[in-house]
C-alpha cells in the first residue's frame, strides 16, 4: 500500500535540522543518549515523503544538511581550537550522509523498500574506517556509552550493532506512526526486538561482570600542561618536573605499571641531548621494579630520510634500553596529508602538517607485574604472586578504530593503555576566553571532546572484554572495566595521579567481535543485497502482471 500523496518537490529542512539537533545532543556529554532512539524520526518522515518525487539534488542535500548540522552540534568543540579542521571534518561527514541519502533515493522507488535506510546508514559509518579521511568519531553507537548496560551486545556485533539498533528502532517507530492500518504489526516487532535487545544486554552484563579474578596495580599520570605552551622552553621544565613527581607518587602508592600521556616529554628523548632523562627513567624502573609507558615524539632514519613518529617508549625493570611502539593511525590533516597524490603540496605549505610518519606493527609487550587476587564479596585485593603479563599501549585516535584495538587483544594483551592529549579541545585565544568568562560561558569552553574520547573507549572495552586504562595530559584519565564501567577517573583540567587496581582475565579468550571483526556488517550487506534483489523481482513480476 503506497501512502505517498506528497506533491512538493523539495523537503522540509526544518525537520532535518530537528533530527540533527536531537542526534547531536544525544551524543556523549549531555547524558541524553536515549534520545538517539527517536532522533531520526523527523528526517525519516522527509525521506518517506520524497520517494519517487525528490530530485537527486534534494536527496543529497537531505543527508548533507543532516550530517553537517549533526557534526556542528555534537563536535562543535573541534572548532574552538582548530576552525579549519572543523570545517573540513564537517564537510566530510556531511558528504558521507549526503551520499547515503542519495543512494536511498536512487534505490528506493516504492515505500515497501523504505527499510533500506537502516543498512545504508550503518554502511556509511563502517566505511569511515577505510578511507584517507578515517575519522570514526561520529558513530551513533557512542550515544549509548553513558549507559553501559545497553552496550553489551558490542561483544558480539561491535559498535555498529548498536548503531543498527538505534536506526532500526527509529525506523520501526516511524513506520508504526505512518502506517495506521499496520501499526499493531510494527509495534509487535518493535516490542520483540526491544525485549531481545534488553534481555541480551542484561544477560551479557551479569555473565561478564565477575569473570576477571586477578588484577595489577597501575598508575596514570595527568600533568595538566597546556598543549599550546608545553613545547616552549620554560614549560618543558615544568612538564618534566610534574611527570617525575607524579611517577614518584604513583610508586609510593604501590603502582608497578605507570602510564604517561601522549608526547608527555615534549622533546626527542632518543637524542643524546636528553640521555639524562632516559637514565632517570631507567633508574626508576630498575630501582622500584616498575614498568613505565612514556609517550614521546621519536624519529628514525630510513634510507637516509628522517621520519618522525608519535611513539611510546617502554622501560622494563632490569632491561637495557627501551621498547618502542609507533602510532599507526594518524589524525587526518592534523598529523597527515590526506590523499597525498593530490594534496602533498600542502605538506610543504603548512609546517608540521605531514611531519608524522605512521607505524605498521601492533606490538604487544611483556613485563613482570605483581598479581593481586580479588575477593568477589568484599572486593578486597590480596597480593598473590609475580608474573610476566602482556599488555599494549595505543595512542589517541587509535582508540576509535575497533579492528585495531582487537588486534592487540588477539595478540595476547590482558589490558590496554590508551595515552592521549585531549587538551587541544579547548580554545587558546586569550581574548575569546576573557569574553566567555565575563558571559559565564567558561564551563562550555571545555567542550565535550575529552569526555567523548573517554566514552569511545567504553565500547572498545566491551567489544574485547578487556580493561582499558587512559592517561590523558589534561584529562579525562580513567580506568574502564571490561563491562564498560568507569571504575575511577580524574576529570578535565585537573592535575593528579590515579593509582588503581586493573582487573585482568586469567584466560583472556577472544570475543566474537575481537576474533571476527565486523562480521555483523558483512551479514547485513548480504541480507541487504538479497532484500534488494527480492524486491526488484517482486516489482518486476507485479509490473508484468498488469
Amino acid at each position: 500500500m503506497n501512502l505517498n500523496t506528497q506533491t512538493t518537490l523539495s523537503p522540509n529542512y526544518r525537520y532535518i535540522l530537528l533530527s540533527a539537533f536531537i542526534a547531536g545532543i544525544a551524543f556523549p556529554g549531555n547524558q541524553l543518549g536515549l534520545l538517539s532512539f527517536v532522533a531520526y524520526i523527523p528526517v525519516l518522515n522527509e525521506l518517506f515523503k520524497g520517494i519517487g518525487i525528490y530530485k537527486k539534488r534534494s536527496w543529497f542535500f537531505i543527508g548533507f544538511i543532516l550530517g553537517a548540522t549533526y557534526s556542528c552540534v555534537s563536535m562543535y568543540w573541534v572548532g574552538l581550537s582548530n576552525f579549519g579542521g572543523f570545517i573540513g571534518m564537517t564537510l566530510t561527514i556531511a558528504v558521507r550522509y549526503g551520499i547515503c541519502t542519495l543512494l536511498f533515493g536512487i534505490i528506493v522507488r516504492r515505500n515497501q523498500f523504505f527499510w533500506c535506510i537502516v543498512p545504508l546508514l550503518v554502511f556509511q559509518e563502517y566505511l569511515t574506517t577505510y578511507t584517507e579521511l578515517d575519522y570514526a568519531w561520529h558513530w551513533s553507537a557512542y550515544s549509548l556509552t553513558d549507559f553501559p548496560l545497553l552496550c553489551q551486545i558490542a561483544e558480539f556485533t561491535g559498535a555498529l550493532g548498536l548503531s543498527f539498533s538505534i536506526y532500526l528502532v527509529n525506523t520501526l517507530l516511524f513506520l508504526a506512526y505512518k502506517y495506521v492500518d499496520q501499526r499493531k504489526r510494527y509495534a509487535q516487532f518493535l516490542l520483540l526486538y526491544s525485549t531481545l535487545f534488553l534481555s541480551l544486554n542484561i544477560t551479557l552484563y551479569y555473565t561478564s561482570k565477575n569473570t576477571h579474578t586477578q588484577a595489577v596495580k597501575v598508575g596514570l599520570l595527568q600533568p595538566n600542561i597546556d598543549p599550546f605552551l608545553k613545547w616552549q622552553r620554560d614549560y618543558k621544565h615544568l612538564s618534566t618536573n610534574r611527570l617525575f613527581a607524579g611517577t614518584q607518587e604513583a610508586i609510593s602508592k604501590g603502582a608497578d605499571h605507570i602510564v604517561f600521556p601522549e608526547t608527555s616529554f615534549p622533546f626527542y628523548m632518543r637524542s643524546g641531548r636528553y640521555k639524562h632523562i632516559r637514565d632517570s627513567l631507567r633508574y626508576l624502573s630498575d630501582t622500584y621494579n616498575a614498568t613505565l609507558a612514556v609517550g614521546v615524539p621519536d624519529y628514525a632514519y630510513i634510507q637516509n630520510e628522517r621520519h618522525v613518529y608519535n611513539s611510546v617508549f617502554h622501560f622494563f625493570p632490569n632491561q637495557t634500553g627501551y621498547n618502542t611502539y609507533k602510532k599507526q593511525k594518524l589524525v587526518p590533516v592534523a598529523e597527515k596529508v590526506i590523499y597525498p597524490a593530490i594534496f602533498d603540496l600542502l605538506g610543504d605549505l603548512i609546517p608540521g602538517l605531514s611531519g608524522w610518519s605512521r607505524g605498521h606493527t601492533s606490538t604487544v609487550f611483556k613485563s613482570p607485574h605483581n598479581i593481586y587476587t580479588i575477593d568477589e564479596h568484599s572486593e578486597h585485593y590480596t597480593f598473590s604472586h609475580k608474573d610476566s603479563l602482556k599488555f599494549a599501549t595505543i595512542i589517541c585516535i587509535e582508540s576509535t578504530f575497533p579492528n585495531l584495538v582487537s588486534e592487540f587483544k588477539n595478540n595476547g594483551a590482558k589490558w590496554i593503555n590508551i595515552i592521549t592529549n585531549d587538551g587541544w579541545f579547548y580554545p587558546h585565544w586569550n581574548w575569546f576566553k576573557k569574553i566567555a568568562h565575563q558571559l559565564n560561558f567558561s564551563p562550555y569552553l571545555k567542550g565535550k571532546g575529552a569526555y567523548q574520547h573517554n566514552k569511545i573507549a567504553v565500547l572498545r572495552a566491551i567489544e574485547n572484554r578487556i580493561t582499558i586504562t587512559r592517561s590523558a595530559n589534561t584529562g579525562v584519565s580513567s580506568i574502564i572495566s571490561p563491562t564498560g564501567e568507569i571504575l575511577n577517573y580524574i576529570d578535565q583540567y585537573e592535575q593528579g595521579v590515579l593509582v588503581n587496581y586493573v582487573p585482568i582475565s586469567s584466560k583472556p579468550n577472544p570475543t566474537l567481535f575481537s576474533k571476527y571483526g565486523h562480521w555483523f556488517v558483512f551479514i547485513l550487506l548480504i541480507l541487504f543485497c538479497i532484500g534488494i534483489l527480492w524486491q526488484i523481482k517482486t516489482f518486476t513480476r507485479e509490473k508484468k502482471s498488469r
Side-chain angles (χ1 to χ4, degrees):
M1 176 178 169
N2 192 327
L3 299 180
N4 196 344
T5 59
Q6 181 72 22
T7 58
T8 181
L9 296 179
S10 62
N12 187 335
Y13 289 106
R14 289 177 296 178
Y15 288 106
I16 300 168
L17 293 172
L18 177 61
S19 270
F21 177 77
I22 297 173
I25 64 173
F27 214 64
N30 301 304
Q31 300 290 324
L32 297 173
L34 295 180
L35 287 177
S36 61
F37 286 111
V38 297
Y40 297 95
I41 292 176
V43 73
L44 290 176
N45 186 63
E46 295 309 302
L47 294 176
F48 186 90
K49 289 194 308 182
I51 294 175
I53 295 178
Y54 292 160
K55 295 181 179 179
K56 291 180 180 179
R57 180 177 61 183
S58 295
W59 283 118
F60 176 79
F61 275 108
I62 289 175
F64 187 89
I65 292 173
L66 176 70
T69 309
Y70 173 55
S71 173
C72 290
V73 175
S74 62
M75 290 177 278
Y76 68 91
W77 44 266
V78 177
L80 295 178
S81 60
N82 185 347
F83 188 72
F86 173 71
I87 295 298
M89 177 196 70
T90 298
L91 289 175
T92 300
I93 294 173
V95 169
R96 285 172 180 158
Y97 275 92
I99 293 174
C100 177
T101 52
L102 174 61
L103 288 174
F104 175 83
I106 294 172
I107 294 172
V108 179
R109 295 295 180 180
R110 303 178 69 190
N111 294 340
Q112 288 87 340
F113 289 21
F114 190 77
W115 57 268
C116 290
I117 191 60
V118 175
L120 284 173
L121 287 168
V122 174
F123 296 154
Q124 72 87 17
E125 290 188 0
Y126 171 73
L127 292 175
T128 59
T129 60
Y130 292 96
T131 68
E132 281 289 320
L133 292 167
D134 40 14
Y135 194 78
W137 195 292
H138 70 286
W139 289 3
S140 60
Y142 296 129
S143 300
L144 299 181
T145 52
D146 285 327
F147 311 93
L149 183 63
L150 300 179
C151 300
Q152 302 303 309
I153 63 168
E155 173 187 345
F156 294 153
T157 65
L160 292 177
L162 296 173
S163 293
F164 170 83
S165 297
I166 289 172
Y167 294 133
L168 180 62
V169 169
N170 274 273
T171 303
L172 290 174
L173 286 171
F174 170 73
L175 291 175
Y177 154 75
K178 198 68 178 178
Y179 286 99
V180 178
D181 57 338
Q182 299 184 48
R183 181 167 298 171
K184 183 176 179 180
R185 172 190 170 193
Y186 286 116
Q188 289 174 339
F189 189 32
L190 177 62
L191 179 62
L192 174 62
Y193 186 81
S194 300
T195 302
L196 290 173
F197 179 79
L198 289 172
S199 59
L200 184 57
N201 274 304
I202 292 171
T203 301
L204 289 173
Y205 175 80
Y206 285 105
T207 56
S208 303
K209 191 170 179 62
N210 297 316
T211 58
H212 295 70
T213 57
Q214 296 181 334
V216 294
K217 204 168 187 180
V218 174
L220 306 176
L221 307 187
Q222 185 168 305
N224 194 33
I225 303 292
D226 189 329
F228 297 102
L229 300 176
K230 76 173 188 177
W231 301 94
Q232 299 177 13
R233 178 176 297 179
D234 293 340
Y235 280 85
K236 288 183 181 180
H237 294 296
L238 178 62
S239 297
T240 301
N241 292 337
R242 285 191 183 180
L243 290 168
F244 275 107
T247 304
Q248 292 282 7
E249 181 180 342
I251 290 172
S252 69
K253 293 180 179 179
D256 65 353
H257 186 103
I258 302 170
V259 187
F260 294 59
E262 178 185 13
T263 57
S264 51
F265 289 96
F267 44 75
Y268 294 115
M269 191 180 292
R270 181 183 294 274
S271 168
R273 181 180 179 182
Y274 298 104
K275 181 177 180 299
H276 64 288
I277 301 293
R278 298 199 307 271
D279 290 344
S280 297
L281 293 170
R282 164 58 51 208
Y283 171 80
L284 290 172
S285 177
D286 291 344
T287 303
Y288 298 102
N289 291 311
T291 295
L292 309 180
V294 185
V296 292
D298 192 22
Y299 63 89
Y301 286 94
I302 302 175
Q303 296 180 347
N304 295 324
E305 183 177 351
R306 181 183 169 106
H307 292 260
V308 177
Y309 300 93
N310 193 340
S311 303
V312 188
F313 283 8
H314 295 90
F315 294 84
F316 299 138
N318 304 311
Q319 294 185 19
T320 58
Y322 45 85
N323 294 270
T324 305
Y325 169 75
K326 298 179 176 66
K327 187 177 182 181
Q328 300 179 67
K329 296 290 186 179
L330 304 178
V331 179
V333 181
E335 291 182 321
K336 69 173 182 179
V337 174
I338 57 172
Y339 302 108
I342 302 174
F343 297 111
D344 198 45
L345 179 62
L346 291 177
D348 299 324
L349 297 178
I350 305 176
L353 181 60
S354 60
W356 299 96
S357 299
R358 60 184 291 263
H360 300 279
T361 306
S362 300
T363 310
V364 170
F365 301 96
K366 190 174 185 178
S367 66
H369 292 84
N370 293 327
I371 310 298
Y372 300 84
T373 56
I374 307 173
D375 187 321
E376 296 181 9
H377 301 290
S378 64
E379 296 187 358
H380 179 71
Y381 294 84
T382 305
F383 174 76
S384 173
H385 61 284
K386 200 174 186 70
D387 196 5
S388 292
L389 298 177
K390 290 184 177 180
F391 69 94
T393 306
I394 62 176
I395 305 173
C396 191
I397 200 175
E398 291 184 320
S399 65
T400 67
F401 294 89
N403 284 345
L404 177 64
V405 177
S406 293
E407 284 183 29
F408 295 98
K409 170 65 182 282
N410 294 334
N411 289 340
K414 292 200 171 186
W415 83 92
I416 293 176
N417 301 320
I418 297 174
I419 65 171
T420 186
N421 182 10
D422 293 341
W424 304 107
F425 306 153
Y426 189 83
H428 58 283
W429 315 295
N430 289 327
W431 62 268
F432 189 77
K433 292 180 185 178
K434 290 179 180 178
I435 294 175
H437 180 71
Q438 291 174 356
L439 297 176
N440 201 27
F441 285 165
S442 293
Y444 298 98
L445 294 188
K446 286 187 176 181
K448 304 297 182 181
Y451 184 83
Q452 291 172 4
H453 202 184
N454 186 49
K455 288 294 185 175
I456 285 171
V458 166
L459 286 187
R460 302 294 88 83
I462 295 172
E463 286 168 343
N464 299 284
R465 292 302 180 197
I466 196 168
T467 305
I468 285 179
T469 62
R470 297 184 80 251
S471 174
N473 172 30
T474 58
V476 178
S477 297
S478 64
I479 311 285
I480 304 172
S481 77
T483 52
E485 296 165 299
I486 297 177
L487 303 177
N488 208 344
Y489 72 98
I490 305 175
D491 207 352
Q492 290 188 72
Y493 306 108
E494 295 180 5
Q495 181 185 347
V497 176
L498 177 60
V499 176
N500 211 90
Y501 291 100
V502 172
I504 60 172
S505 175
S506 56
K507 296 181 180 179
N509 298 320
T511 63
L512 187 64
F513 177 80
S514 59
K515 189 173 184 179
Y516 296 107
H518 290 291
W519 65 270
F520 177 80
V521 177
F522 292 109
I523 296 296
L524 189 62
L525 178 60
I526 293 172
L527 294 176
F528 173 76
C529 293
I530 292 173
I532 290 295
L533 292 174
W534 181 78
Q535 294 280 16
I536 292 174
K537 183 178 179 180
T538 302
F539 179 72
T540 304
R541 188 186 302 120
E542 291 177 356
K543 190 174 181 180
K544 288 181 178 179
S545 64
R546 291 172 185 170

